[in-house]
Amino acid sequence: MESIRYVALGDSYTIGTGLADESQNFPSLLARKLREESGIEVALVNLGVNGYTTSDLIREELPVARGLRPELVTILIGANDLVQGSNESTYRIRLVSIYDALGSMGSPARRVLALSIPDFSGLPGAAPFGSARELRSRIDAFNGVAQSEAASRDFRYIDITAISRQAGDTNGWVAADGLHPGPAQHRAIADQLWTFLDPVIKER
């Protein structure tokens, strides 16, 4: 059976902090969707770690990813840089390092999916990190950096921030911790990713 190596890079959003089971996180759901829709076996390695910043990803995740030589990559990183006070310039420098490393791993650019940072600014768990208005503004600024750097490498930039800003009253939309996406939001993210990935996989 045909197979594909999928590496998911990131932080709590990628590993699924707040979910009852890691099988509910968006990388697991995307891998399942890929198997079901294409018949391709997916070898998923989720390297996401709760609390990781771009620096942590560079130090801990990239060396592992290089050894795996992934054929599909998702990357979602930056929320912890933001809440720890990093500015846009520092974020860009580190993101450039990450994106350049991904570009050197041999994965087709169209199969590197760069995800925007979800908007957590209005959630109860975000209160210690600043005002909702300030957080939202900084999230948008960081996402602008990620979008421009992804575009310059022909990576697929996927806006999941709009998904996170949808009504939070949906059952399971927000995790019980009041900060992270719940299972319903992870499903919506995976569905959004599949709309970009489906035509790419058909070119295989």
Side-chain angles (χ1 to χ4, degrees):
M1 177 183 289
E2 190 177 10
S3 65
I4 189 168
R5 292 184 299 278
Y6 167 23
V7 172
L9 302 170
D11 51 29
S12 56
Y13 292 117
T14 295
I15 200 62
T17 298
L19 297 174
D21 191 295
E22 287 188 10
S23 66
Q24 298 176 319
N25 63 39
F26 76 79
S28 296
L29 296 172
L30 181 61
R32 187 180 312 151
K33 186 84 169 174
L34 177 52
R35 287 188 199 100
E36 292 172 351
E37 296 292 335
S38 68
I40 297 172
E41 187 58 38
V42 183
L44 167 63
V45 179
N46 190 330
L47 298 176
V49 177
N50 185 51
Y52 264 23
T53 64
T54 47
S55 293
D56 297 316
L57 192 152
I58 290 167
R59 185 184 65 251
E60 302 292 342
E61 297 182 35
L62 281 182
V64 179
R66 283 193 190 94
L68 294 169
R69 298 195 62 81
E71 297 164 289
L72 171 65
V73 177
T74 55
I75 176 166
L76 168 48
I77 195 72
N80 294 299
D81 296 73
L82 191 152
V83 300
Q84 292 180 23
S86 286
N87 58 34
E88 293 166 50
S89 176
T90 302
Y91 179 59
R92 185 183 296 275
I93 289 168
R94 293 173 181 165
L95 202 62
V96 163
S97 178
I98 293 167
Y99 283 4
D100 284 349
L102 292 177
S104 71
M105 289 183 196
S107 303
R110 284 169 56 80
R111 292 193 198 150
V112 178
L113 310 183
L115 283 64
S116 66
I117 301 168
D119 187 355
F120 56 89
S121 63
L123 298 177
F129 305 124
S131 71
R133 175 182 286 185
E134 178 190 12
L135 286 172
R136 183 175 177 128
S137 175
R138 296 191 68 213
I139 289 166
D140 285 342
F142 272 44
N143 283 338
V145 169
Q147 183 173 18
S148 65
E149 293 299 336
S152 71
R153 294 163 177 80
D154 289 329
F155 293 171
R156 291 297 173 265
Y157 177 80
I158 302 176
D159 178 12
I160 63 169
T161 309
I163 292 173
S164 68
R165 287 171 174 163
Q166 293 175 12
D169 293 335
T170 304
N171 187 36
W173 193 252
V174 177
D177 63 8
L179 182 60
H180 292 95
Q185 193 172 160
H186 275 272
R187 286 195 298 273
I189 292 169
D191 288 345
Q192 173 82 338
L193 294 175
W194 179 246
T195 64
F196 284 82
L197 184 59
D198 182 26
V200 174
I201 292 299
K202 287 176 180 174
E203 296 174 357
R204 187 178 169 89

